[in-house]
Amino acid sequence: MKPILEIQGVGKKYRIHHQHGGYVSLRERMANVLKFEKNQTEDFWALKDVSFEVQPGESIGIIGRNGAGKSTLLKILSKITPPTTGRIVSRGRIASLLEVGTGFHPELTGRENIFFNGSLLGMKRKEIETKFDEIVDFSGVEKFLDTPLKHYSSGMQLRLAFAVAAFLEPEILIIDEVLAVGDAEFQKKCMKKMGDVTVQGSTLIFVSHNLPSLKSICHTGILLREGKLVLSGSIDEVINEYTSYHIEEGTIASVIHYFQPHIQLENILINGSDKNTITVEGNILSISFEITFLKRIAFELDVHLKKEELPVASYANFVQNKVTTFEAGKYLLNYAIDLPPLRSGKYKLDLYFTEPFVSWFAVTENIIDVEIVNTMHHAFLTSSSLKWGSTLLDGEVKIGRIS
Amino acid sequence: MEESTEYIIASSGHRLFNWKELWQFRELFYFFTWRDVKIKYKQTVLGFLWAVLQPLLMMTIFTLFFGRALNIPSQSIPYPVYVFSGLIIWNIFSTGLTSASNSMVNNATIIKKIYFPRLIIPVSSILVALFDFLMAFFLFGIILIFYKQPVSWMALFLWPLALLISVVATLGLGCWLAALNVKYRDFRYVIPFLVQVLFFITPVIYPISLLKYPLLQYILACSPMYAAVELFRLPITGVPPNFVFLSVSLLSGFLLLLIGILYFKRTEDFFADFA
């Protein structure tokens, strides 16, 4: 069988204008012409010479750090922006979900938004009408169907948006990070729905930072690094390569991936260091950062410590039902987290800056390396032995001599 | 979709007009127009009545100042009828042009996330303006009856023709400005001014014959809306417009359409990068 998608040497060059504004003003353009000055530009290849094939019915995960070119690749596949070099041969109808709820309008009712959004995603009006009840059912917002969207909670908007997208039946479905938001139960529902997509024989291209969900949905994967394809193979191989690759040292603040523009983070320090490779001695993890809230929001920091993809320990406020709502403004937050007695070794620390149960504002995943040094345990445990757990349990022995 | 045909995504080689694709996406024209019409009158008490009230209020003001106070001639028909007939066809152009020009920027979030033929967006903004026209047209009928104004049978084909000309004029300039606006936001400030200027050089509130200098008349005829307004009014006034002026105006309209669409198609691939 012919591959459903052939990506042949695709590259995308962006021209970076060295100027203050985001877009070119006519005055500058004219001034440059008059001065016979070449615009100060620099070429930047967001994607370079990427080639791979996708077979019909395959579900392929695209992995890479922020800025590796994942989104650019998806944009090209979705025809939103043309490639600078190379070409893509497609043999099926592509639907892409680079965002949930594209085109949602706050003034329109839920019902109206379903129709407009559905149509944008490529559904025919008849199709939307026949699936309407199912969509409403899946979203669980039937009571508010004729209420303008602006009165919905953000969680409800998200459900509605995903519900519309879930009923697309394209031959090739492209999904970018859309599951990064929403509560756990709804996420599970979405994942199941996405699994169904491949069962129905559709081809799935999935980009996510969430490695467990990539693992559960995709069979194959490709790894992008600085715009180049590094590895393509089974999803396990690719995830392995991705997580074992040690990135060069940088500041934590520079590796934060923002999902939403409501917060701005500065001066993130872990145990006094702003680097993304740190050594922790003792059992206190102190995290501090300056955070600017651009509007009033409930916010908390969730911290997960992982060892080889397996979560070892987590910290979050909501588990004790203590969530603080912040007024807009700049704050300095200082967390002191007690660590369990951990085995010495390399760990990853993931930070999630979230609005609990609603969405992620910013995330850093698999980027902060933590070297735990536990001087209390026997040197034997410093060597890697898979039999031994990462957390060392404390206990007492009472000894009674019998004979 | 049955046809599982191969297609290729590459850096260039877009056909100028992919009619087949436009046809595939035909429902989106409807949905964009439908959405914009809905949003336009949401949370207003009077709703669609505004489409009628706006030209009515304008007519009243112009009648008071230009008709009564300045006594501007109106080709033998009552001045309110003269002004209103000009205004409703002019409004297609002015509202259509303004919203089409800003449409790409206003829909930037959609453009960045979903592919569809970009032309749908400015075209739909113009369809919204046509919807307003239809509303106002009912009022126009009432005004004609109120002033007992006879209408020639020529209206049957001249009115649709005038409508077509105004759509062509709006589409050309609208697409051009929409594409320019994506890259140079300066145009956002140019557009209201441009519309204002064109309003005064188009015979909406005064007949072109009022001007004494023939050269000036030629310049005014360059307005693409000159032909639309004159032809729309012809069945009421019975005054045949100057054939040369008419040709000049039509030519300028079609030239704008050509430039506008060509520029739009040439730049549309990169809207997502700039918007």
Side-chain angles (χ1 to χ4, degrees), chain A residues 272-287:
Chain A
S273 154
D274 66 346
K275 297 284 182 289
N276 62 350
T277 44
I278 47 166
T279 308
V280 175
E281 288 180 64
N283 58 353
I284 292 283
L285 189 66
S286 86
I287 301 176

Side-chain angles (χ1 to χ4, degrees), chain A residues 2 12 14 23-26 29 75 77-84 87-94 98-99 102-103 105 107-108 112 115-116 119-121 124-125 150 171, chain B residues 1 4-11 21 24 27-28 30-32 34-35 38-39 42-43 109-116 118 183-188 269-270 272-274:
Chain A
K2 272 190 174 173
K12 175 79 183 177
Y14 282 106
Y23 49 84
V24 214
S25 97
L26 197 61
R29 190 70 186 262
K75 273 189 181 170
L77 285 171
S78 323
K79 293 208 278 184
I80 289 165
T81 186
T84 313
R87 56 178 214 154
I88 293 165
V89 182
S90 162
R91 299 192 177 88
R93 181 163 75 128
I94 298 182
L98 301 197
E99 166 190 78
T102 307
H105 199 285
E107 296 290 345
L108 295 180
E112 290 163 347
F115 274 94
F116 184 64
S119 162
L120 265 182
L121 291 173
K124 294 268 164 282
R125 191 175 167 183
K150 59 182 171 185
E171 288 156 306
Chain B
M1 222 159 288
S4 235
T5 42
E6 249 184 55
Y7 67 88
I8 285 167
I9 305 169
S11 57
E21 196 185 36
Q24 275 173 3
E27 282 189 345
L28 259 191
Y30 166 78
F31 274 112
F32 264 103
W34 168 84
R35 179 197 70 164
K38 285 232 155 173
I39 292 166
K42 278 259 161 141
Q43 238 183 42
T109 47
I110 298 178
I111 294 167
K112 283 184 189 174
K113 297 292 180 189
I114 291 183
Y115 173 78
F116 52 87
R118 304 313 192 195
K183 211 168 170 189
Y184 309 104
R185 301 293 154 94
D186 307 72
F187 282 93
R188 197 170 12 183
D269 279 350
F270 299 95
D273 297 339
F274 280 109

Side-chain angles (χ1 to χ4, degrees), chain A residues 243-247 276-280 305-310 312 342-349 366 368-374 377 381-384 390:
Chain A
T243 49
S244 62
Y245 182 69
H246 190 81
I247 60 154
N276 62 350
T277 44
I278 47 166
T279 308
V280 175
L305 201 60
K306 294 188 306 193
K307 177 97 186 157
E308 276 139 24
E309 270 317 293
L310 288 175
V312 172
L342 292 169
R343 263 179 63 189
S344 296
K346 284 190 183 351
Y347 292 78
K348 296 266 185 195
L349 186 71
N366 293 316
I368 303 174
D369 284 310
V370 180
E371 176 89 41
I372 302 263
V373 181
N374 190 340
H377 68 65
L381 286 180
T382 319
S383 64
S384 59
S390 304

